[in-house]
Amino acid sequence: KQEVTQIPAALSVPEGENLVLNCSFTDSAIYNLQWFRQDPGKGLTSLLLIQSSQREQTSGRLNASLDKSSGRSTLYIAASQPGDSATYLCAVEGPDQTGANNLFFGTGTRLTVIP
Amino acid sequence: DAGVTQSPTHLIKTRGQQVTLRCSPKSGHDTVSWYQQALGQGPQFIFQYYEEEERQRGNFPDRFSGHQFPNYSSELNVNALLLGDSALYLCASSPEGSAEAFFGQGTRLTVV
């Protein structure tokens, strides 16, 4: 069964600092990996999607990498801002035990950017 | 484009009752998935609907059922509510053949 782990569970950084969030998954048979942002009590906002054949994706100050063979992804946030404070979730799309496609989520990293 | 919309935003129910949650997908999206997110956890897949049929199902009991309408909107029904059903219920839509999921703001269900 696919297991997705995110480390650290929580992170506090001063404004302006660059930071890296980590995501690991146990089964490398994935179709893609997606990073989401979630504000408290709210839904998920898609940040970046990396197809299994890709190594990285960039959007503004965000850069996500994927190493499928080692089961790892990182989300790099440059020049962090207080508005970046949120929980960041990693999800992989891949087959479940029945062979059907499913999105498997980590438990997230709660980021606080201190002004 | 309104994106994915869910209603209601908050709901309080008593143990044993039944609840219906609603989701309207993003324009042009025909696939709707439902997730349950307990506090401090990642979302857990409940089921997915496409062409008005349940296409996939996660590890949830039969108390959880759903429906998709011809306009692609969807409902999630939960019968015989338990305290442990208290969670944020998220709906996600995607166009057929696309991997990217777009989520709604969720419905916060509290069972007392």
mmCIF file of all heavy atoms in Angstrom, chain B residues 9-53:
data_model
loop_
_atom_site.group_PDB
_atom_site.id
_atom_site.type_symbol
_atom_site.label_atom_id
_atom_site.label_comp_id
_atom_site.label_asym_id
_atom_site.label_seq_id
_atom_site.Cartn_x
_atom_site.Cartn_y
_atom_site.Cartn_z
ATOM 1 N N THR B 9 -21.181 24.896 3.994
ATOM 2 C CA THR B 9 -19.789 25.063 4.437
ATOM 3 C C THR B 9 -19.574 24.429 5.804
ATOM 4 O O THR B 9 -18.499 23.904 6.084
ATOM 5 C CB THR B 9 -19.391 26.540 4.499
ATOM 6 O OG1 THR B 9 -20.333 27.222 5.323
ATOM 7 C CG2 THR B 9 -19.390 27.148 3.115
ATOM 8 N N HIS B 10 -20.595 24.506 6.636
ATOM 9 C CA HIS B 10 -20.534 23.904 7.972
ATOM 10 C C HIS B 10 -21.847 23.201 8.261
ATOM 11 O O HIS B 10 -22.909 23.632 7.780
ATOM 12 C CB HIS B 10 -20.307 24.959 9.063
ATOM 13 C CG HIS B 10 -19.002 25.660 8.963
ATOM 14 N ND1 HIS B 10 -18.808 26.751 8.147
ATOM 15 C CD2 HIS B 10 -17.810 25.429 9.579
ATOM 16 C CE1 HIS B 10 -17.558 27.168 8.271
ATOM 17 N NE2 HIS B 10 -16.932 26.384 9.123
ATOM 18 N N LEU B 11 -21.757 22.150 9.081
ATOM 19 C CA LEU B 11 -22.941 21.355 9.387
ATOM 20 C C LEU B 11 -22.729 20.662 10.728
ATOM 21 O O LEU B 11 -21.649 20.117 10.981
ATOM 22 C CB LEU B 11 -23.116 20.309 8.294
ATOM 23 C CG LEU B 11 -24.445 19.639 8.035
ATOM 24 C CD1 LEU B 11 -25.547 20.654 7.856
ATOM 25 C CD2 LEU B 11 -24.334 18.773 6.794
ATOM 26 N N ILE B 12 -23.752 20.692 11.554
ATOM 27 C CA ILE B 12 -23.706 19.957 12.823
ATOM 28 C C ILE B 12 -24.859 18.957 12.811
ATOM 29 O O ILE B 12 -26.014 19.335 12.577
ATOM 30 C CB ILE B 12 -23.824 20.895 14.035
ATOM 31 C CG1 ILE B 12 -22.672 21.895 14.055
ATOM 32 C CG2 ILE B 12 -23.849 20.083 15.334
ATOM 33 C CD1 ILE B 12 -22.772 22.946 15.154
ATOM 34 N N LYS B 13 -24.525 17.688 13.065
ATOM 35 C CA LYS B 13 -25.524 16.627 13.081
ATOM 36 C C LYS B 13 -25.378 15.815 14.363
ATOM 37 O O LYS B 13 -24.320 15.802 14.998
ATOM 38 C CB LYS B 13 -25.330 15.707 11.871
ATOM 39 C CG LYS B 13 -25.739 16.320 10.541
ATOM 40 C CD LYS B 13 -27.245 16.382 10.427
ATOM 41 C CE LYS B 13 -27.700 16.774 9.044
ATOM 42 N NZ LYS B 13 -29.185 16.785 8.932
ATOM 43 N N THR B 14 -26.447 15.118 14.680
ATOM 44 C CA THR B 14 -26.453 14.250 15.860
ATOM 45 C C THR B 14 -26.116 12.822 15.448
ATOM 46 O O THR B 14 -26.489 12.383 14.343
ATOM 47 C CB THR B 14 -27.834 14.290 16.539
ATOM 48 O OG1 THR B 14 -28.140 15.642 16.876
ATOM 49 C CG2 THR B 14 -27.860 13.426 17.787
ATOM 50 N N ARG B 15 -25.423 12.124 16.307
ATOM 51 C CA ARG B 15 -25.081 10.712 16.066
ATOM 52 C C ARG B 15 -26.326 9.927 15.659
ATOM 53 O O ARG B 15 -27.383 10.067 16.267
ATOM 54 C CB ARG B 15 -24.477 10.122 17.335
ATOM 55 C CG ARG B 15 -23.855 8.764 17.176
ATOM 56 C CD ARG B 15 -23.112 8.352 18.421
ATOM 57 N NE ARG B 15 -23.883 8.607 19.636
ATOM 58 C CZ ARG B 15 -23.424 8.396 20.865
ATOM 59 N NH1 ARG B 15 -22.195 7.972 21.039
ATOM 60 N NH2 ARG B 15 -24.176 8.637 21.911
ATOM 61 N N GLY B 16 -26.187 9.104 14.598
ATOM 62 C CA GLY B 16 -27.291 8.301 14.114
ATOM 63 C C GLY B 16 -28.062 8.938 12.966
ATOM 64 O O GLY B 16 -28.788 8.251 12.240
ATOM 65 N N GLN B 17 -27.909 10.252 12.803
ATOM 66 C CA GLN B 17 -28.614 10.933 11.717
ATOM 67 C C GLN B 17 -27.938 10.660 10.381
ATOM 68 O O GLN B 17 -26.892 10.015 10.280
ATOM 69 C CB GLN B 17 -28.644 12.451 11.979
ATOM 70 C CG GLN B 17 -29.646 12.878 13.027
ATOM 71 C CD GLN B 17 -29.779 14.395 13.090
ATOM 72 O OE1 GLN B 17 -28.771 15.121 13.115
ATOM 73 N NE2 GLN B 17 -31.008 14.879 13.109
ATOM 74 N N GLN B 18 -28.573 11.183 9.330
ATOM 75 C CA GLN B 18 -28.048 11.065 7.977
ATOM 76 C C GLN B 18 -27.716 12.464 7.466
ATOM 77 O O GLN B 18 -28.331 13.448 7.890
ATOM 78 C CB GLN B 18 -29.109 10.407 7.088
ATOM 79 C CG GLN B 18 -28.737 10.244 5.635
ATOM 80 C CD GLN B 18 -29.237 11.370 4.744
ATOM 81 O OE1 GLN B 18 -30.137 12.118 5.132
ATOM 82 N NE2 GLN B 18 -28.646 11.527 3.586
ATOM 83 N N VAL B 19 -26.739 12.553 6.560
ATOM 84 C CA VAL B 19 -26.345 13.855 6.032
ATOM 85 C C VAL B 19 -26.085 13.743 4.526
ATOM 86 O O VAL B 19 -25.666 12.676 4.033
ATOM 87 C CB VAL B 19 -25.084 14.377 6.759
ATOM 88 C CG1 VAL B 19 -23.850 13.545 6.414
ATOM 89 C CG2 VAL B 19 -24.831 15.845 6.435
ATOM 90 N N THR B 20 -26.369 14.823 3.822
ATOM 91 C CA THR B 20 -26.076 14.913 2.387
ATOM 92 C C THR B 20 -25.241 16.153 2.121
ATOM 93 O O THR B 20 -25.628 17.258 2.527
ATOM 94 C CB THR B 20 -27.366 14.988 1.557
ATOM 95 O OG1 THR B 20 -28.119 13.787 1.743
ATOM 96 C CG2 THR B 20 -27.040 15.134 0.069
ATOM 97 N N LEU B 21 -24.108 15.965 1.495
ATOM 98 C CA LEU B 21 -23.217 17.060 1.125
ATOM 99 C C LEU B 21 -23.232 17.180 -0.399
ATOM 100 O O LEU B 21 -23.352 16.178 -1.105
ATOM 101 C CB LEU B 21 -21.795 16.788 1.613
ATOM 102 C CG LEU B 21 -21.641 16.369 3.082
ATOM 103 C CD1 LEU B 21 -20.173 16.194 3.425
ATOM 104 C CD2 LEU B 21 -22.300 17.376 4.008
ATOM 105 N N ARG B 22 -23.069 18.429 -0.891
ATOM 106 C CA ARG B 22 -23.192 18.676 -2.326
ATOM 107 C C ARG B 22 -21.936 19.309 -2.907
ATOM 108 O O ARG B 22 -21.237 20.060 -2.224
ATOM 109 C CB ARG B 22 -24.415 19.544 -2.589
ATOM 110 C CG ARG B 22 -25.713 18.837 -2.212
ATOM 111 C CD ARG B 22 -26.948 19.696 -2.403
ATOM 112 N NE ARG B 22 -28.158 18.917 -2.128
ATOM 113 C CZ ARG B 22 -28.637 18.689 -0.915
ATOM 114 N NH1 ARG B 22 -28.022 19.178 0.152
ATOM 115 N NH2 ARG B 22 -29.733 17.965 -0.751
ATOM 116 N N CYS B 23 -21.714 19.019 -4.185
ATOM 117 C CA CYS B 23 -20.527 19.516 -4.873
ATOM 118 C C CYS B 23 -20.860 19.839 -6.320
ATOM 119 O O CYS B 23 -21.480 19.027 -7.015
ATOM 120 C CB CYS B 23 -19.422 18.463 -4.815
ATOM 121 S SG CYS B 23 -17.971 18.841 -5.832
ATOM 122 N N SER B 24 -20.454 21.023 -6.759
ATOM 123 C CA SER B 24 -20.551 21.376 -8.181
ATOM 124 C C SER B 24 -19.138 21.470 -8.733
ATOM 125 O O SER B 24 -18.331 22.248 -8.216
ATOM 126 C CB SER B 24 -21.267 22.715 -8.360
ATOM 127 O OG SER B 24 -22.618 22.605 -8.016
ATOM 128 N N PRO B 25 -18.814 20.689 -9.749
ATOM 129 C CA PRO B 25 -17.435 20.683 -10.250
ATOM 130 C C PRO B 25 -17.100 21.945 -11.036
ATOM 131 O O PRO B 25 -17.984 22.716 -11.414
ATOM 132 C CB PRO B 25 -17.404 19.458 -11.159
ATOM 133 C CG PRO B 25 -18.810 19.309 -11.636
ATOM 134 C CD PRO B 25 -19.677 19.756 -10.488
ATOM 135 N N LYS B 26 -15.835 22.119 -11.264
ATOM 136 C CA LYS B 26 -15.357 23.205 -12.115
ATOM 137 C C LYS B 26 -15.924 23.009 -13.516
ATOM 138 O O LYS B 26 -16.102 21.873 -13.980
ATOM 139 C CB LYS B 26 -13.828 23.154 -12.129
ATOM 140 C CG LYS B 26 -13.108 24.321 -12.757
ATOM 141 C CD LYS B 26 -11.613 24.147 -12.534
ATOM 142 C CE LYS B 26 -10.780 25.079 -13.389
ATOM 143 N NZ LYS B 26 -10.972 26.489 -13.085
ATOM 144 N N SER B 27 -16.191 24.128 -14.189
ATOM 145 C CA SER B 27 -16.757 24.065 -15.530
ATOM 146 C C SER B 27 -15.864 23.238 -16.453
ATOM 147 O O SER B 27 -14.645 23.426 -16.496
ATOM 148 C CB SER B 27 -16.903 25.486 -16.079
ATOM 149 O OG SER B 27 -17.395 25.480 -17.402
ATOM 150 N N GLY B 28 -16.482 22.313 -17.179
ATOM 151 C CA GLY B 28 -15.738 21.473 -18.112
ATOM 152 C C GLY B 28 -15.194 20.192 -17.495
ATOM 153 O O GLY B 28 -14.625 19.360 -18.203
ATOM 154 N N HIS B 29 -15.366 20.037 -16.182
ATOM 155 C CA HIS B 29 -14.880 18.829 -15.505
ATOM 156 C C HIS B 29 -16.012 17.830 -15.348
ATOM 157 O O HIS B 29 -17.117 18.185 -14.934
ATOM 158 C CB HIS B 29 -14.321 19.170 -14.130
ATOM 159 C CG HIS B 29 -13.035 19.919 -14.172
ATOM 160 N ND1 HIS B 29 -12.279 20.149 -13.039
ATOM 161 C CD2 HIS B 29 -12.357 20.494 -15.194
ATOM 162 C CE1 HIS B 29 -11.196 20.834 -13.369
ATOM 163 N NE2 HIS B 29 -11.228 21.054 -14.674
ATOM 164 N N ASP B 30 -15.726 16.547 -15.667
ATOM 165 C CA ASP B 30 -16.774 15.538 -15.606
ATOM 166 C C ASP B 30 -16.501 14.466 -14.555
ATOM 167 O O ASP B 30 -17.318 13.567 -14.375
ATOM 168 C CB ASP B 30 -16.959 14.883 -16.981
ATOM 169 C CG ASP B 30 -15.660 14.327 -17.547
ATOM 170 O OD1 ASP B 30 -14.660 14.263 -16.807
ATOM 171 O OD2 ASP B 30 -15.649 13.961 -18.746
ATOM 172 N N THR B 31 -15.386 14.554 -13.874
ATOM 173 C CA THR B 31 -15.024 13.556 -12.868
ATOM 174 C C THR B 31 -14.993 14.223 -11.498
ATOM 175 O O THR B 31 -14.374 15.281 -11.335
ATOM 176 C CB THR B 31 -13.641 12.960 -13.172
ATOM 177 O OG1 THR B 31 -13.671 12.388 -14.493
ATOM 178 C CG2 THR B 31 -13.283 11.880 -12.162
ATOM 179 N N VAL B 32 -15.682 13.603 -10.537
ATOM 180 C CA VAL B 32 -15.760 14.168 -9.190
ATOM 181 C C VAL B 32 -15.300 13.116 -8.181
ATOM 182 O O VAL B 32 -15.736 11.966 -8.235
ATOM 183 C CB VAL B 32 -17.198 14.610 -8.850
ATOM 184 C CG1 VAL B 32 -17.298 15.036 -7.392
ATOM 185 C CG2 VAL B 32 -17.637 15.752 -9.766
ATOM 186 N N SER B 33 -14.423 13.532 -7.280
ATOM 187 C CA SER B 33 -13.939 12.652 -6.213
ATOM 188 C C SER B 33 -14.248 13.280 -4.867
ATOM 189 O O SER B 33 -14.258 14.498 -4.742
ATOM 190 C CB SER B 33 -12.429 12.440 -6.337
ATOM 191 O OG SER B 33 -12.086 11.892 -7.597
ATOM 192 N N TRP B 34 -14.472 12.430 -3.883
ATOM 193 C CA TRP B 34 -14.738 12.888 -2.518
ATOM 194 C C TRP B 34 -13.647 12.384 -1.577
ATOM 195 O O TRP B 34 -13.192 11.234 -1.703
ATOM 196 C CB TRP B 34 -16.094 12.380 -2.042
ATOM 197 C CG TRP B 34 -17.274 13.064 -2.657
ATOM 198 C CD1 TRP B 34 -17.954 12.687 -3.784
ATOM 199 C CD2 TRP B 34 -17.928 14.239 -2.176
ATOM 200 N NE1 TRP B 34 -18.984 13.566 -4.036
ATOM 201 C CE2 TRP B 34 -18.999 14.523 -3.060
ATOM 202 C CE3 TRP B 34 -17.730 15.083 -1.077
ATOM 203 C CZ2 TRP B 34 -19.857 15.607 -2.884
ATOM 204 C CZ3 TRP B 34 -18.582 16.156 -0.902
ATOM 205 C CH2 TRP B 34 -19.634 16.416 -1.796
ATOM 206 N N TYR B 35 -13.273 13.243 -0.620
ATOM 207 C CA TYR B 35 -12.247 12.910 0.354
ATOM 208 C C TYR B 35 -12.731 13.294 1.746
ATOM 209 O O TYR B 35 -13.470 14.263 1.913
ATOM 210 C CB TYR B 35 -10.946 13.678 0.071
ATOM 211 C CG TYR B 35 -10.266 13.274 -1.218
ATOM 212 C CD1 TYR B 35 -10.685 13.792 -2.437
ATOM 213 C CD2 TYR B 35 -9.210 12.371 -1.209
ATOM 214 C CE1 TYR B 35 -10.064 13.432 -3.619
ATOM 215 C CE2 TYR B 35 -8.574 12.002 -2.394
ATOM 216 C CZ TYR B 35 -9.020 12.531 -3.586
ATOM 217 O OH TYR B 35 -8.399 12.159 -4.757
ATOM 218 N N GLN B 36 -12.242 12.549 2.731
ATOM 219 C CA GLN B 36 -12.479 12.877 4.134
ATOM 220 C C GLN B 36 -11.148 13.283 4.754
ATOM 221 O O GLN B 36 -10.154 12.555 4.617
ATOM 222 C CB GLN B 36 -13.038 11.657 4.884
ATOM 223 C CG GLN B 36 -13.321 11.920 6.358
ATOM 224 C CD GLN B 36 -13.527 10.628 7.141
ATOM 225 O OE1 GLN B 36 -12.613 9.823 7.298
ATOM 226 N NE2 GLN B 36 -14.743 10.419 7.630
ATOM 227 N N GLN B 37 -11.120 14.431 5.425
ATOM 228 C CA GLN B 37 -9.896 14.884 6.070
ATOM 229 C C GLN B 37 -10.158 15.099 7.555
ATOM 230 O O GLN B 37 -10.809 16.076 7.943
ATOM 231 C CB GLN B 37 -9.360 16.164 5.423
ATOM 232 C CG GLN B 37 -8.000 16.568 5.972
ATOM 233 C CD GLN B 37 -7.443 17.816 5.314
ATOM 234 O OE1 GLN B 37 -8.186 18.623 4.777
ATOM 235 N NE2 GLN B 37 -6.121 17.971 5.354
ATOM 236 N N ALA B 38 -9.629 14.218 8.371
ATOM 237 C CA ALA B 38 -9.722 14.385 9.826
ATOM 238 C C ALA B 38 -8.704 15.429 10.247
ATOM 239 O O ALA B 38 -7.729 15.703 9.542
ATOM 240 C CB ALA B 38 -9.455 13.051 10.513
ATOM 241 N N LEU B 39 -8.918 15.997 11.415
ATOM 242 C CA LEU B 39 -8.058 17.071 11.905
ATOM 243 C C LEU B 39 -6.615 16.601 12.001
ATOM 244 O O LEU B 39 -6.329 15.550 12.571
ATOM 245 C CB LEU B 39 -8.564 17.509 13.283
ATOM 246 C CG LEU B 39 -8.166 18.902 13.748
ATOM 247 C CD1 LEU B 39 -8.704 19.944 12.779
ATOM 248 C CD2 LEU B 39 -8.687 19.162 15.149
ATOM 249 N N GLY B 40 -5.717 17.361 11.385
ATOM 250 C CA GLY B 40 -4.304 17.038 11.464
ATOM 251 C C GLY B 40 -3.844 15.922 10.543
ATOM 252 O O GLY B 40 -2.682 15.508 10.600
ATOM 253 N N GLN B 41 -4.741 15.443 9.700
ATOM 254 C CA GLN B 41 -4.406 14.351 8.785
ATOM 255 C C GLN B 41 -4.506 14.813 7.340
ATOM 256 O O GLN B 41 -5.087 15.855 7.043
ATOM 257 C CB GLN B 41 -5.356 13.168 8.994
ATOM 258 C CG GLN B 41 -5.341 12.598 10.396
ATOM 259 C CD GLN B 41 -3.995 12.008 10.749
ATOM 260 O OE1 GLN B 41 -3.415 11.249 9.973
ATOM 261 N NE2 GLN B 41 -3.477 12.366 11.912
ATOM 262 N N GLY B 42 -3.950 14.010 6.435
ATOM 263 C CA GLY B 42 -4.145 14.261 5.013
ATOM 264 C C GLY B 42 -5.491 13.729 4.573
ATOM 265 O O GLY B 42 -6.099 12.888 5.250
ATOM 266 N N PRO B 43 -6.004 14.202 3.460
ATOM 267 C CA PRO B 43 -7.286 13.695 2.949
ATOM 268 C C PRO B 43 -7.210 12.209 2.619
ATOM 269 O O PRO B 43 -6.191 11.722 2.130
ATOM 270 C CB PRO B 43 -7.502 14.528 1.673
ATOM 271 C CG PRO B 43 -6.667 15.755 1.863
ATOM 272 C CD PRO B 43 -5.474 15.302 2.647
ATOM 273 N N GLN B 44 -8.318 11.505 2.880
ATOM 274 C CA GLN B 44 -8.455 10.089 2.542
ATOM 275 C C GLN B 44 -9.524 9.939 1.477
ATOM 276 O O GLN B 44 -10.630 10.473 1.618
ATOM 277 C CB GLN B 44 -8.848 9.289 3.782
ATOM 278 C CG GLN B 44 -7.820 9.335 4.903
ATOM 279 C CD GLN B 44 -6.562 8.574 4.573
ATOM 280 O OE1 GLN B 44 -6.616 7.475 4.039
ATOM 281 N NE2 GLN B 44 -5.412 9.168 4.874
ATOM 282 N N PHE B 45 -9.204 9.202 0.422
ATOM 283 C CA PHE B 45 -10.105 9.023 -0.706
ATOM 284 C C PHE B 45 -11.326 8.207 -0.318
ATOM 285 O O PHE B 45 -11.194 7.107 0.241
ATOM 286 C CB PHE B 45 -9.336 8.331 -1.832
ATOM 287 C CG PHE B 45 -10.145 7.963 -3.033
ATOM 288 C CD1 PHE B 45 -10.602 8.939 -3.904
ATOM 289 C CD2 PHE B 45 -10.438 6.640 -3.305
ATOM 290 C CE1 PHE B 45 -11.325 8.598 -5.023
ATOM 291 C CE2 PHE B 45 -11.158 6.285 -4.421
ATOM 292 C CZ PHE B 45 -11.608 7.262 -5.290
ATOM 293 N N ILE B 46 -12.525 8.730 -0.640
ATOM 294 C CA ILE B 46 -13.767 8.006 -0.353
ATOM 295 C C ILE B 46 -14.233 7.274 -1.611
ATOM 296 O O ILE B 46 -14.337 6.053 -1.640
ATOM 297 C CB ILE B 46 -14.875 8.950 0.149
ATOM 298 C CG1 ILE B 46 -14.410 9.707 1.398
ATOM 299 C CG2 ILE B 46 -16.152 8.155 0.447
ATOM 300 C CD1 ILE B 46 -15.402 10.758 1.890
ATOM 301 N N PHE B 47 -14.546 8.039 -2.663
ATOM 302 C CA PHE B 47 -14.912 7.446 -3.952
ATOM 303 C C PHE B 47 -14.864 8.500 -5.058
ATOM 304 O O PHE B 47 -14.706 9.685 -4.800
ATOM 305 C CB PHE B 47 -16.285 6.762 -3.948
ATOM 306 C CG PHE B 47 -17.393 7.477 -3.231
ATOM 307 C CD1 PHE B 47 -17.720 8.802 -3.511
ATOM 308 C CD2 PHE B 47 -18.132 6.806 -2.271
ATOM 309 C CE1 PHE B 47 -18.744 9.439 -2.850
ATOM 310 C CE2 PHE B 47 -19.167 7.451 -1.599
ATOM 311 C CZ PHE B 47 -19.465 8.763 -1.894
ATOM 312 N N GLN B 48 -14.958 7.997 -6.284
ATOM 313 C CA GLN B 48 -14.916 8.849 -7.468
ATOM 314 C C GLN B 48 -16.086 8.513 -8.387
ATOM 315 O O GLN B 48 -16.421 7.344 -8.576
ATOM 316 C CB GLN B 48 -13.610 8.654 -8.234
ATOM 317 C CG GLN B 48 -13.455 9.563 -9.442
ATOM 318 C CD GLN B 48 -12.175 9.278 -10.195
ATOM 319 O OE1 GLN B 48 -12.100 8.363 -11.020
ATOM 320 N NE2 GLN B 48 -11.152 10.067 -9.915
ATOM 321 N N TYR B 49 -16.667 9.562 -8.968
ATOM 322 C CA TYR B 49 -17.775 9.388 -9.901
ATOM 323 C C TYR B 49 -17.409 9.917 -11.272
ATOM 324 O O TYR B 49 -16.770 10.971 -11.412
ATOM 325 C CB TYR B 49 -19.034 10.104 -9.390
ATOM 326 C CG TYR B 49 -19.784 9.268 -8.395
ATOM 327 C CD1 TYR B 49 -19.418 9.258 -7.055
ATOM 328 C CD2 TYR B 49 -20.825 8.443 -8.802
ATOM 329 C CE1 TYR B 49 -20.086 8.456 -6.161
ATOM 330 C CE2 TYR B 49 -21.498 7.646 -7.898
ATOM 331 C CZ TYR B 49 -21.118 7.655 -6.581
ATOM 332 O OH TYR B 49 -21.766 6.867 -5.674
ATOM 333 N N TYR B 50 -17.831 9.164 -12.278
ATOM 334 C CA TYR B 50 -17.644 9.550 -13.677
ATOM 335 C C TYR B 50 -18.813 8.983 -14.457
ATOM 336 O O TYR B 50 -19.190 7.823 -14.267
ATOM 337 C CB TYR B 50 -16.319 9.006 -14.205
ATOM 338 C CG TYR B 50 -16.113 9.183 -15.685
ATOM 339 C CD1 TYR B 50 -15.916 10.446 -16.221
ATOM 340 C CD2 TYR B 50 -16.132 8.088 -16.544
ATOM 341 C CE1 TYR B 50 -15.737 10.619 -17.584
ATOM 342 C CE2 TYR B 50 -15.958 8.256 -17.904
ATOM 343 C CZ TYR B 50 -15.764 9.524 -18.430
ATOM 344 O OH TYR B 50 -15.591 9.696 -19.777
ATOM 345 N N GLU B 51 -19.387 9.796 -15.298
ATOM 346 C CA GLU B 51 -20.552 9.391 -16.106
ATOM 347 C C GLU B 51 -21.641 8.782 -15.227
ATOM 348 O O GLU B 51 -22.212 7.733 -15.538
ATOM 349 C CB GLU B 51 -20.139 8.423 -17.211
ATOM 350 C CG GLU B 51 -19.298 9.089 -18.279
ATOM 351 C CD GLU B 51 -19.083 8.209 -19.513
ATOM 352 O OE1 GLU B 51 -19.299 6.990 -19.426
ATOM 353 O OE2 GLU B 51 -18.700 8.771 -20.550
ATOM 354 N N GLU B 52 -21.874 9.452 -14.108
ATOM 355 C CA GLU B 52 -22.965 9.117 -13.181
ATOM 356 C C GLU B 52 -22.808 7.762 -12.497
ATOM 357 O O GLU B 52 -23.753 7.266 -11.895
ATOM 358 C CB GLU B 52 -24.325 9.184 -13.895
ATOM 359 C CG GLU B 52 -24.610 10.546 -14.514
ATOM 360 C CD GLU B 52 -25.937 10.591 -15.241
ATOM 361 O OE1 GLU B 52 -26.965 10.218 -14.636
ATOM 362 O OE2 GLU B 52 -25.962 10.997 -16.420
ATOM 363 N N GLU B 53 -21.594 7.201 -12.555
ATOM 364 C CA GLU B 53 -21.371 5.909 -11.905
ATOM 365 C C GLU B 53 -20.158 5.999 -10.980
ATOM 366 O O GLU B 53 -19.201 6.736 -11.255
ATOM 367 C CB GLU B 53 -21.138 4.823 -12.944
ATOM 368 C CG GLU B 53 -22.328 4.604 -13.852
ATOM 369 C CD GLU B 53 -22.506 3.145 -14.215
ATOM 370 O OE1 GLU B 53 -21.594 2.341 -13.985
ATOM 371 O OE2 GLU B 53 -23.578 2.824 -14.761
#
